[in-house]
């Protein structure tokens, strides 16, 4: 069951001026399930995105990336049930057919449509089914439909992920609403599973592109469930420009900083929600590595801990078998790491120093913390000023069960 | 249960002239279990080894590495039940005390003793218990005791790993006998868990050192169970020089090649036995990546497949959800990989080509192969001449169970 993750409430999700959303059922995998979402953006909206670095990137990722370079998007279309990845040239054609059909219905150009897919890999996508559902999705479009969209993009997710924030920018109230999906195959690399955050703030294209990278690197790019980087990861940041604030152009300005902080908060909570809803998760772990000589080496050590099946099963068992964390630090690949100067903490308890178990450490303290649903692992390297924080979950019987049975 | 792995038969393990072995019970973790092994080498024996690259390497690894540089070893001492890793200065003292005590009893120098430990990390090692058991282990020493040693070095292993081979070198019969242990925390990096292979062949020290690296790189360094690199990995190759063959000095000679091939075969079977006995394993997978531009990139792609929890759970479920293999190939980190030119095979069945599922692929074929206990995954990159082969196992409920319960 998800770890301390409450489902979003429909009334807490604020509309974003300039953005309307509709959902419909195309019967891609399960008959009757709402599996197609369209997002309409008002003229003048700007979009910036980051995508998976997987070389087997999905056809919709390739198409969305190309369209984003050519034009300001007016429509986004998202399907679940099929990833349209590992589908070769036929998959490219299917993604383009969906864009073309939606452009025709909505009266825009094909290059103004961004397609997204998530689901099983290496199965042909039935574009005809999606196309048949587009009129219903368009007819459903309205501003207060984020709640439905958060559900329509789910796959193995148990809980929908969505939230809103408001922030004052230049005396104007700016709204930010975001949704995301993801539960397994989670180890975003420069992007995430599917995440969409929209704001009505006015932001220049260049500033928006800087912001989406910063936000991704401090939210979706800081999580892992199983270390598998998806073929379909995409994170889109939309700015409709309807909040009447003075357009944010300068990335060194206070307005930029205020908006970036609020968007980062929304994206971080969505990213953490993906981990809390990680397949089979029973624990939520925050892994903080500090005192490093670079953020990169802190992330490298953090991910070695977060990916270790031995560490993850020890957390599942609430067993303070913490030597496994030392082993993971040791094989993280930081070749000149001096293990005698680092310190390992579990919450506030010092576990290891001077290359071994701390004299003050008591098994009962480790046991007490390991039983918690939320646990912090802190590694202090004592070799520099850099730091990084990651979030991950444990590894349970249910992860195996879910992934052994996913397709069937 | 181990996959197609028969226990060794005592009578099939051949003594190696110049090597005697004794085991005893020190009560390190379980009272009564035989957990201490000593190996005595005749004067003139040569030893070469490779050790873990984990920065948190165990105290015995640090001591053995140093002793090996100083002198030709006369004694090896191995304990299970405690890894003596993450134990700081006290752990170094404990390892040295064991060496010193054994040297005193056996009449050799402390630097002529190599210590090895395996078991729980970050628990203090009770050197006194091991020292108290050394006289009994020495009294037990005999040439035909490999079978007992193969059992005494086990931890979570279900089946002991040991075998012998004989080969003709320069008209003389040369014997090779090896033992190994390991089941979890298996992703050797330049070494393995614990592996000991002895031969009575006469080999120069330089040739033996070349051979141990070659053998490790083609056996123990080609396996993974869970991607966790141990703090204690050690692989020792012993040559007692008593077979009366002309000493092998030239690494380009036919004698060197014949011996290296035989030792590699023994080490490869031991390494494969570790995978077959991998924690919770139900399937044995051979992953072959060929047509690469370097062996390194072939290994990188092979390990991405072998480490993916999604791939491993699909094999456990006998579910041909083979898009997960494409995803793993895609995120392996080979940045210029063209996914449209590679081919993926399951045994002899072509699964994917041209960036997607092969037109000839039938789900029934995938299903049939996935049900087998032994499965070959073959990736043909079509960009060069290099190749690499790895061995791994699937990921089952029992892996989680074993590692959630290991310490308790």
């Amino acid at each position: 069951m998800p770890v301390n993750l409450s489902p979003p409430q429909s009334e807490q999700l604020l509309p974003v001026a300039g953005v309307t959303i509709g959902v419909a059922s195309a019967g891609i995998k399960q008959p009757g399930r709402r599996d197609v979402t369209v997002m309409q953006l008002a003229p003048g909206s700007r979009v910036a995105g980051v995508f998976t670095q997987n070389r087997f990137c999905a056809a919709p990722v390739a198409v969305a990336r190309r369209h984003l370079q050519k034009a300001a998007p007016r429509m986004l279309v998202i399907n679940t049930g099929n990833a349209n990845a590992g589908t070769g040239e036929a998959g490219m054609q299917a993604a383009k057919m969906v864009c073309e059909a939606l452009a025709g219905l909505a009266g825009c150009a094909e290059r103004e449509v961004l397609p997204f897919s998530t689901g099983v890999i290496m199965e042909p996508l039935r574009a005809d089914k999606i196309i048949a559902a587009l009129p219903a999705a368009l007819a459903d479009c309205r501003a207060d439909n984020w709640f439905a969209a958060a559900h329509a993009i789910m796959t193995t997710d148990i809980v929908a992920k969505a939230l809103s924030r408001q922030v004052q920018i230049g005396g104007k109230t700016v709204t930010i609403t975001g949704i995301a999906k993801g539960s397994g195959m989670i180890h975003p690399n420069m992007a995430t599973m599917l995440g969409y955050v929209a704001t009505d703030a006015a932001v220049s294209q260049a500033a928006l592109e800087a912001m989406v990278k910063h936000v991704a690197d401090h939210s979706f790019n800081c999580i892992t469930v199983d270390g598998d980087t998806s073929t379909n990861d995409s994170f889109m940041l939309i700015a409709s420009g309807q909040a009447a604030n003075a357009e944010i152009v300068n990335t060194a300005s206070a307005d930029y900083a205020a908006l970036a902080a609020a968007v980062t908060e929304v994206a971080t909570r969505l990213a953490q929600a993906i981990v809390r809803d990680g397949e089979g998760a029973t624990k939520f772990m925050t892994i903080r590595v500090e005192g490093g000589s670079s953020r990169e080496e802190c992330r490298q050590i953090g991910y070695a801990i977060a990916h270790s099946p031995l560490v993850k099963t020890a957390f599942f068992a609430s067993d303070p078998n913490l030597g496994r964390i030392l082993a993971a630090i040791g094989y993280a690949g930081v070749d000149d790491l001096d293990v005698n100067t680092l310190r390992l903490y579990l919450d506030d308890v010092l576990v290891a120093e001077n290359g071994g178990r701390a004299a003050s450490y008591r098994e009962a303290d480790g046991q007490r913390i390991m039983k918690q649903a939320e646990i912090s692992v802190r590694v202090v390297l004592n070799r520099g000023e850099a730091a990084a924080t990651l979030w991950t979950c444990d590894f349970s019987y249910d992860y195996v069960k879910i992934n052994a049975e996913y397709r069937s």
Side-chain angles (χ1 to χ4, degrees), chain A:
Chain A
M1 282 304 298
V3 184
N4 297 338
L5 181 62
S6 308
Q9 302 299 310
S10 181
E11 62 277 13
Q12 294 170 345
L13 297 179
L14 304 174
V16 175
V19 180
T20 63
I21 299 172
V23 303
S25 173
I28 295 168
K29 196 177 167 202
Q30 292 174 323
R33 188 187 179 299
R34 298 207 282 186
D35 50 12
V36 169
T37 302
V38 298
M39 206 177 280
Q40 293 205 71
L41 312 182
S45 293
R46 289 175 177 140
V47 179
V50 285
F51 297 94
T52 183
Q53 298 299 303
N54 194 311
R55 294 295 305 167
F56 255 107
C57 80
V61 169
V63 173
R65 200 181 262 144
R66 193 190 311 155
H67 284 187
L68 203 47
Q69 286 170 350
K70 286 186 185 170
R74 297 295 309 282
M75 307 285 300
L76 280 62
V77 53
I78 310 155
N79 75 272
T80 60
N82 185 309
N84 195 10
T87 44
E89 185 52 33
M92 291 295 288
Q93 289 305 324
K96 282 191 258 186
M97 281 164 62
V98 171
C99 292
E100 190 183 357
L102 183 54
L105 291 167
C108 65
E110 184 189 325
R111 65 178 183 277
E112 293 172 327
V113 180
L114 304 184
F116 304 89
S117 299
T118 178
V120 181
I121 299 171
M122 215 176 68
E123 301 277 348
L125 178 71
R126 288 283 301 271
D128 57 327
K129 289 189 175 183
I130 296 174
I131 291 167
L134 291 176
L138 283 170
D140 186 48
C141 273
R142 53 186 209 271
D144 62 349
N145 221 1
W146 287 92
F147 186 77
H151 287 83
I153 64 174
M154 289 164 66
T155 52
T156 55
D157 307 60
I158 295 173
V159 173
K161 287 116 190 147
L163 79 156
S164 294
R165 282 289 178 273
Q166 288 190 319
V167 63
Q168 297 297 313
I169 302 278
K172 305 290 180 189
T173 298
V174 161
T175 299
I176 301 158
T177 296
I179 58 173
K181 65 79 56 180
S183 184
M185 199 177 267
I186 298 290
H187 175 205
N189 179 10
M190 312 310 284
T192 176
M193 285 300 284
L194 298 184
Y196 303 90
V197 175
T199 176
D200 50 5
V203 189
S204 75
Q205 185 66 31
L208 197 68
E209 283 171 9
M211 194 177 294
V212 75
K213 287 187 178 59
H214 171 87
V215 171
D217 281 347
H218 290 81
S219 58
F220 295 109
N221 282 348
C222 299
I223 63 172
T224 182
V225 168
D226 48 17
D228 277 281
T229 300
S230 160
T231 47
N232 291 57
D233 293 344
S234 305
F235 168 45
M236 295 294 119
L237 179 58
I238 298 159
S240 68
Q242 306 210 351
N245 63 303
E247 187 181 70
I248 297 171
V249 175
N250 181 358
T251 57
S253 66
D255 284 358
Y256 178 90
L259 184 65
V263 173
T264 301
E265 194 210 331
V266 168
T268 300
R269 282 176 182 265
L270 291 173
Q272 291 178 349
I274 288 174
V275 172
R276 292 179 186 282
D277 195 10
E279 289 172 346
T282 74
K283 304 275 173 83
F284 178 83
M285 277 104 73
T286 299
I287 299 176
R288 165 103 181 150
V289 182
E290 57 191 52
S293 56
S294 69
R295 182 159 188 266
E296 198 37 58
E297 78 174 23
C298 293
R299 285 172 62 83
Q300 207 173 326
I301 289 170
Y303 272 121
I305 298 169
H307 287 153
S308 162
L310 290 170
V311 170
K312 291 166 97 80
T313 48
F315 277 95
F316 169 56
S318 301
D319 177 12
N321 193 343
L322 303 172
R324 291 176 178 178
I325 299 179
L326 296 189
I329 295 168
Y331 68 65
V334 178
D335 287 339
D336 59 350
L337 186 69
D338 182 352
V339 300
N340 293 310
T341 59
L342 67 82
R343 286 201 173 123
L344 171 66
Y345 294 84
L346 211 58
D347 281 8
D348 292 336
V349 173
L350 177 64
V351 172
E353 64 179 343
N354 300 321
R357 197 162 70 184
S360 58
Y361 176 74
R362 294 290 169 272
E363 176 91 359
D365 292 328
Q367 187 63 68
R368 174 175 49 78
I369 295 167
M370 290 296 275
K371 282 184 179 155
Q372 300 168 181
E374 309 235 349
I375 299 168
S376 145
V377 173
R378 192 157 65 94
V379 181
V380 183
L381 298 176
N382 284 315
R383 56 193 245 132
E385 303 296 320
T389 302
L390 306 176
W391 299 282
T392 191
C393 57
D394 60 333
F395 215 157
S396 69
Y397 296 119
D398 279 352
Y399 179 88
V400 178
K401 184 173 161 65
I402 290 163
N403 283 297
E405 294 176 358
Y406 176 46
R407 241 189 25 154
S408 34

